Amino acid sequence: MYKKEDQKSLYELSKQLLKTEGIPVAFEAEQQVEDLRKAIVYHEWKYYIQNDPVMSDFEYDTLYKRLEALEKAYPDFIQPDSPTQRVSNDLTETFESVEHLIPMLSLANSYNEEDLNDFDTQIKKLTLLDENVDIEYCVEPKFDGGSIALVFENDHLSRGATRGNGTLGEEMTNNARVMKSIPLKAEFSSKGIAKAELRGEVVIRKDIFDKMNADREAQGLSLFANPRNTASGGLRMKDPKEVAKRGLEAFIYQLGYVVDEEGNNKMNAFKTHDETIEFLGSLGFKIPVKERKVCKNIKEVHDFILEWQAKRDAYEYEIDGMVIKVNSLALQEKCGYTSHHPRWAIAFKFKAKQATSKLLNVEYQIGKIGSVTPVAKLEPVQLAGVMVSSVSLHNEDFITSKDIRIGDTVLVERAGDVIPYIVKPMEDLRDGSEQVIDFPKNCPVCDTKLERAETEAAWRCTNYNCEAQVIQRMIFHVSKDAMDIDGFGKSYVERFFEMGWLRNIADIYRLDYEKIAALEGFGKKSAANLEKAIEKAKKNPIHRLLHSLSVHHLGKKVSKLVAGEIDHVLELQDKTIENFTEIKDIGPVVAENIIEYFSNPDNVNLLKEMETLGVNLRQTEADRPKVVDANAPLVGKTILFTGSLQKMGRKEAQTLAENNGAKNISAVSSNLNILVVGEKAGSKLKKAQAIGTVEIMTEDEFLELIG
Ligand code: IVH
């Protein structure tokens, strides 16, 4: 929407405005308020629409605060479309029922190429075109959020509403005003349009959704089920300030209604759907750009859909399909509408990510530290191409908060690579035969009474020798994260346990490879491979061994910290809580767990046995902490390498940086101090340049800096 030269002058204006201070006299203030408005609207567009900010958050905030201060000193200069007027303190939504200017219809669905071809044939019939003529279509994602309709009158946002029943929606103008991807002012008048209604979908970026849920989890709040509910629920919040916090964005996908001052239809200002969307983009709305394509025939449509189906999980937003629209507005008019949907458009639905199934039973799995996880056994059901029959129910609170019962029909969802989860039971389908899930009081494997600490969500079996725990500890011990014994997985552990060969982790190192070779499905070669992998694991640095012991909270990082403090694992028998908590980043809880582990003679004996069997218990080079000199050149700096480095590998560069006191981070933001650019550096470099505070250097300059 902004021309290059306009962008440049707005950028310079912003820099100038950043330098101004104090409250000027009225006539100067009026000009400044106007300049600030213009500059801030521009930066919001760069940030929310273009995803390409040219100023740091700090600089943006400074401009915003200055505008607030001037508007406070001179309230007469406040314009309703000022960025500060998005949120007002005392507004709440009333959700009054309002009539859409034209009904918000739904879409017909298609699921495969054949359906698409039928649609194409139908369009040719409706428009009286020959079978051999190609129809041009505009294709864009079917965003999965909540739909909204926005009315603009005389270039100002005058109303926002939800879809409602299609004819009547709920008014939510104040909520729409807080979404920074929706301009408060847009120059429809440039095309002689006095009143317009646009349709769009309010969505939330997947990473923002994940972060929001992680924060909620940390605060002990209930989690949002998925991005769609979070977005559509967000539209209906009473307090616009809360809406603002959700980080919602509106993609505009249709210009529904346009009239001039006399009320005459102005749709004839456009020839194609694509042109209307492009126009809305030029007015500052968020529109699908890389996500939208004009296809010259239905074959190209199908190809584009397949492309997006493959990209779907990697895309920033949830989409549940693509929408195919006849591009020519004249042809659209010929096609017309049913009472339910336009005949000129169709949705292509990707494979379902949600399905319903019956909950047959609940089983309980015991983890390596005794945590009891309830698992729902379902009637097998297809979900996004995968058969699902087992879904975790996490813990007792999850079951009670959702009131999930055995015999319930449940809604299951699988988003992206995420493991499937139960969204809710379908309470309306109950017939009274469903049974409330009775969480066990005793361990289903060893019958020990379960316990639950106040601060934890899980019930635990406290019997350290519980068979289930012993097996889980062995599975963890051999896993990639722990001792990393190649080829040794869960099924081997279970099988060898059944054979009576494994009773504890020491037994792993006294396996009889001849016997293994004789087992069905093994043979000499796989037994020899296993032996090789186990021999290799014996030499592991002790931080791996410590982590592999399944001591609660003794994760990878703490294991490394502990390993750095000792010469031999058995020294840990003589440590006190203080010895541990003196180490930075080690807290009293894990300290106590380590002490408890090493005060049990069975555990000490187990480790001694392992040492006799050849497992390394001594500190190795890899365990030794890297000592960073307080005067090292990069102390306190964050660093990021981008592009292809010529003199060293990426890992090597990162280690060098770390050894010189720097912290490697993975994204360019205002927190980044140094960006080292190799060949073919791309978007990261651009972004760092735009931020302006990042020190940018070449590989050679970096090497010189660290000497
Ligand atoms: S066009 C008259 N385009 O899908 C044409 N709809 O069943 C009506 N949706 O809830 C819709 N992305 O909010 C259209 N690119 C897109 C869309 C889209 C998402 C939603 C829409 C409605 C549903 C239609």
Side-chain angles (χ1 to χ4, degrees), residues 483 538-542 545-546 566-571 598 604 606-612 614-620 623:
M483 293 298 268
K538 285 182 180 173
K539 301 195 187 78
N540 273 339
I542 57 171
L545 177 64
L546 290 174
I566 51 174
D567 289 321
H568 192 280
V569 171
L570 292 176
E571 278 171 32
F598 282 90
V604 173
L606 188 77
L607 284 161
K608 283 182 179 162
E609 261 179 70
M610 286 165 74
E611 189 167 38
T612 326
V615 178
N616 171 53
L617 264 63
R618 284 198 180 279
Q619 192 188 57
T620 64
D623 295 314

Side-chain angles (χ1 to χ4, degrees), residues 494-513:
E494 283 168 351
R495 188 142 174 217
F496 298 165
F497 184 85
E498 238 168 67
M499 305 290 297
W501 300 342
L502 292 183
R503 282 292 167 263
N504 57 43
I505 54 173
D507 288 343
I508 291 168
Y509 301 94
R510 54 163 80 92
L511 283 171
D512 184 332
Y513 300 105

Side-chain angles (χ1 to χ4, degrees), residues 11-22 32 36 55 59 62-63 66:
Y11 181 78
E12 273 153 16
L13 176 67
S14 312
K15 286 282 175 196
Q16 205 54 47
L17 286 165
L18 281 171
K19 288 187 202 140
T20 52
E21 273 173 29
Q32 259 189 44
L36 282 161
M55 267 203 168
E59 288 167 312
T62 309
L63 291 179
R66 174 142 189 91

Side-chain angles (χ1 to χ4, degrees), residues 508-564:
I508 291 168
Y509 301 94
R510 54 163 80 92
L511 283 171
D512 184 332
Y513 300 105
E514 272 179 32
K515 279 194 194 154
I516 291 175
L519 278 183
E520 199 186 314
F522 273 80
K524 279 212 166 62
K525 182 127 202 293
S526 40
N529 284 343
L530 190 61
E531 180 173 8
K532 215 163 104 196
I534 291 177
E535 286 305 312
K536 181 169 167 236
K538 285 182 180 173
K539 301 195 187 78
N540 273 339
I542 57 171
H543 68 258
R544 277 192 174 271
L545 177 64
L546 290 174
H547 184 39
S548 80
L549 299 176
S550 298
V551 177
H552 198 12
H553 299 308
L554 182 51
K556 271 191 201 172
K557 189 171 158 206
V558 179
S559 298
K560 280 189 183 163
L561 295 173
V562 173

Side-chain angles (χ1 to χ4, degrees), residues 102 188 193 195-199 252-258 266-267 270 273 275-277 279-280 325 329 332:
I102 52 164
F188 285 96
I193 296 168
K195 187 170 183 181
E197 191 174 47
L198 341 173
R199 276 78 199 278
I252 305 298
Y253 58 69
Q254 201 196 4
L255 181 58
Y257 169 95
V258 281
K266 287 294 288 177
M267 218 49 193
F270 309 95
H273 168 74
E275 209 182 289
T276 62
I277 297 298
F279 171 63
L280 294 171
K325 299 172 182 173
L329 298 180
Q332 283 192 4

Side-chain angles (χ1 to χ4, degrees), residues 22 25 43 103 128 141 196 205 210 215 238 268 329 343 449 473 478 513 521 556 578 606 646 658:
V25 291
H43 292 298
L128 308 173
R205 246 177 37 212
D210 289 340
D215 289 349
K238 280 257 173 222
N268 57 8
L329 298 180
R343 289 205 182 86
K449 198 166 174 347
R473 283 201 298 269
V478 300
Y513 300 105
K556 271 191 201 172
E578 291 71 35
L606 188 77
Q646 303 303 306
E658 205 170 296

Side-chain angles (χ1 to χ4, degrees), residues 91-158:
L91 285 177
T92 55
E93 283 295 6
T94 50
F95 301 112
E96 275 171 38
S97 189
V98 290
E99 191 168 350
H100 296 303
L101 302 186
I102 52 164
M104 277 181 96
L105 296 181
S106 198
L107 286 168
N109 290 327
S110 64
Y111 299 92
N112 50 45
E113 191 166 13
E114 199 186 331
D115 294 347
L116 283 183
N117 289 335
D118 289 349
F119 169 69
D120 187 51
T121 311
Q122 181 67 17
I123 296 292
K124 287 172 190 168
K125 279 195 192 139
L126 289 167
T127 54
L128 308 173
L129 286 170
D130 191 84
E131 254 175 60
N132 305 317
V133 176
D134 276 344
I135 305 271
E136 192 177 81
Y137 295 101
C138 186
V139 185
E140 58 210 39
K142 186 163 184 311
F143 298 103
D144 204 4
S147 20
I148 49 160
L150 302 172
V151 178
F152 279 78
E153 282 172 278
N154 303 321
D155 293 346
H156 287 273
L157 172 65
S158 61

